[in-house]
Amino acid sequence: MARGEHGEDVHLDVGGRDVRISSPDRVYFPERGETKLDLAQYYLSVGDGILRALRERPTMLHRFPKGVEGAKVHQKRLPKGAPDWVETVRLHFPRYDLHADELCPTELAQIIWAVQMSTVELHPWNVRRADVDRPDEWRIDLDPMPDAPFERVRRVAGVVHEVLDELGIVGFPKTSGGAGLHVYVRIEPRWEFGDVRRAALAFAREVERRVPDEVTTTWWRKDRDPAAIFVDYNQNARDHTIAAAYSVRGNAAATVSTPITWDEVADVEPQDCTIATVPERFARLGDLHTDIDDIAHDLTPLLEWADRDEAEGAEPPADPED
């Protein structure tokens, strides 16, 4: 066994794979005390959930080699030294005409290997590797501006739920691990990123119409009401990612982006969902996103809304590279 400054290597059996965790005693969350091994054990405890969130999705790694108080590395390409059982998917980045082979999890051991490579946060694309140009997931990101209280996020989430219900669409909410909330919707992988963004903006505008004093779809941050909730449709652009359900966030509190029920929106306290509390919640409730793959929705009604809005003079989505 190798022993370094931060403890003797630990070997974990993950689905029959031997995954080595080096420096297991390195403290990743100094204010709390959790270590690299604690992080790996956390992901094992929510294994079914994190794998469901990442399965066959290109996944960007947010790595913290010295813990969350150190520098963060945004890793698109698979880190060197991966075992031959770690799977990838090849992606094209048109703006730069570059390619990258990105982690594409198909089993839990690959996620734990990412933790060995100092990954704290896991950020999947909204596509699967069968077709990396057509999203199968529409993401509704309720992003509060600096002066917006979380109570406003709750109220806007209620309007989002109302509009989804009227459309006959099932949405799956989760905390962001930060100040906002996310809602995920499975969609038929028929449309490319541009059309999914148009549909997402049309939905956001409908929410804005219903609560204009609380919601903004204004693109430029400097032009937004600092107390509004931005419904960030741009999270559906190519190469834009959000922390996965069950991903730990790289902050001092070790918060977790946690699936919740719609009923819980009224009283959830996102700061209470942490690396220490979510495992018990998961053991008690299971994965609240278990049914997320049961139905894939048709975006045609929302694209018709987008056509209507644009015919009435609304601008199409801004260039995501802006």
Side-chain angles (χ1 to χ4, degrees), residues 49 52 246 259 278-290:
R52 179 171 289 106
Y246 300 107
V278 170
E280 184 278 330
R281 173 183 169 86
F282 189 89
R284 177 166 42 89
L285 300 177
D287 180 11
L288 295 181
H289 286 189
T290 295

Side-chain angles (χ1 to χ4, degrees), residues 1-11 18 20-25 36 116:
M1 290 281 190
R3 182 175 182 85
E5 177 185 356
H6 299 287
E8 188 174 275
D9 291 359
V10 172
H11 287 257
D18 178 69
R20 178 179 66 93
I21 303 295
S22 62
S23 300
D25 299 335
K36 183 179 182 180
Q116 158 58 14

